[in-house]
Amino acid sequence: MPFVIRQFHNDQTLGEKLHTLRKEARLTLSELSEMTKIQKSYLKAFETNAFHKLPDPIYARNYLKTLARTLGGEEAYYIDQFEQERGTCDVVNKHQTPRQRTRKASLFVTSRFAQICLFVLLIGTFISYIGFQVKTIISPPHLSISSPSDGFLTTDATVLVKGKTDKGASIKINGQNVLLAQDGTFEKEIALERGVNVLQIEGAKRYSHLIKEYRRVIFDNGKTIGLTPKNFSPTF
């Protein structure tokens, strides 16, 4: 078929232009399909602008070139309009309809956004986990003293200190190491001096901060302290 340049209205779609060319050539869809070896459903999709029913773009462009040659149209002209209406053209002429965003591009942007959000979420979760682990490591162990109570008064020269802490912790009472039971309980007898004794109980885990508890124990054996030297006779 000889090459012919036809004038179309600027507001006509690609499908309308192809339909006009086919009607001018006095061809039915079936006849055109037989001539071009293009499926009738694809020809109908071109004429109705149902581009989503076409095969992959690389095949659709080849079909359109064959269709344009058969109907006497300029291949580049129809390919350009196809790209614009389908939404895959990078440059749009100011006198032509602006390109449409394809669903594929929209899905790609959405997918990228979702990936970025997921990455940020994973980083945030990882940082939170590391922070939690560091806090767990440096946090002092739990320490409770069951006896003696603060301000405890005794007439004995020793006092039994009892308490409980976390497994794996270490305990010191006035600098003395204390042996822990498997469940974290401990007890140790501490010698007292007359008067007020301050007991400092320290607990710690490896790399953790210290935790300290204090107990004041008063040792009074009931004996008075003589203030007058022996054989001292006051002179009046």
Side-chain angles (χ1 to χ4, degrees):
M1 182 175 290
F3 176 77
V4 178
I5 298 178
R6 293 176 173 80
Q7 295 294 328
F8 295 101
H9 296 293
N10 288 333
D11 58 350
Q12 280 188 310
T13 64
L14 173 65
E16 291 171 338
K17 293 175 181 179
L18 292 175
H19 179 77
T20 299
L21 287 177
R22 181 174 62 81
K23 288 299 183 181
E24 289 180 356
R26 301 180 183 278
L27 294 172
T28 65
L29 286 175
S30 298
E31 292 171 339
L32 186 58
S33 175
E34 181 66 25
M35 293 175 62
T36 60
K37 307 303 180 184
I38 300 173
Q39 294 182 25
K40 183 178 177 180
S41 60
Y42 291 158
L43 295 176
K44 187 175 181 180
F46 275 119
E47 291 191 5
T48 58
N49 297 303
F51 301 137
H52 62 283
K53 296 182 179 180
L54 294 172
D56 290 341
I58 187 172
Y59 299 110
R61 293 189 191 97
N62 288 332
Y63 288 160
L64 184 56
K65 289 178 181 178
T66 301
L67 187 57
R69 285 196 303 269
T70 303
L71 296 176
E74 183 183 358
E75 296 178 18
Y77 174 80
Y78 291 100
I79 289 294
D80 182 63
Q81 186 164 357
F82 172 70
E83 297 288 4
Q84 293 176 46
E85 292 185 12
R86 189 176 179 277
T88 58
C89 183
D90 292 330
V91 180
V92 179
N93 190 292
K94 64 180 180 180
H95 299 297
Q96 296 171 331
T97 305
R99 66 176 178 178
Q100 301 172 348
R101 292 185 178 181
T102 63
R103 184 178 180 183
K104 183 176 180 180
S106 177
L107 290 175
F108 175 76
V109 172
T110 303
S111 176
R112 289 289 297 172
F113 179 74
Q115 290 176 1
I116 292 173
C117 289
L118 179 60
F119 177 75
V120 172
L121 179 62
L122 290 176
I123 292 297
T125 302
F126 177 74
I127 292 175
S128 298
Y129 173 77
I130 294 298
F132 174 78
Q133 292 298 321
V134 171
K135 183 179 179 181
T136 301
I137 291 173
I138 66 175
S139 295
H142 171 74
L143 176 61
S144 62
I145 307 300
S146 56
S147 69
S149 59
D150 190 36
F152 179 69
L153 177 63
T154 180
T155 57
D156 296 327
T158 60
V159 65
L160 185 63
V161 180
K162 300 173 65 176
K164 186 174 183 179
T165 187
D166 297 337
K167 294 181 180 180
S170 60
I171 296 294
K172 289 183 178 181
I173 302 177
N174 288 352
Q176 301 179 40
N177 290 321
V178 179
L179 185 64
L180 297 182
Q182 290 186 352
D183 60 354
T185 58
F186 62 88
E187 59 179 48
K188 186 174 181 63
E189 196 167 28
I190 301 296
L192 301 174
E193 297 180 356
R194 289 189 62 189
V196 178
N197 295 261
V198 178
L199 306 182
Q200 177 177 288
I201 303 98
E202 297 179 353
K205 295 182 294 185
R206 189 178 184 183
Y207 307 122
S208 78
H209 298 304
L210 284 174
I211 184 172
K212 297 181 181 181
E213 291 285 343
Y214 295 91
R215 291 293 186 270
R216 291 170 298 174
V217 178
I218 304 170
F219 171 41
D220 185 1
N221 61 3
K223 296 180 180 180
T224 59
I225 302 175
L227 298 179
T228 305
K230 189 176 182 181
N231 300 323
F232 174 75
S233 298
T235 303
F236 297 97

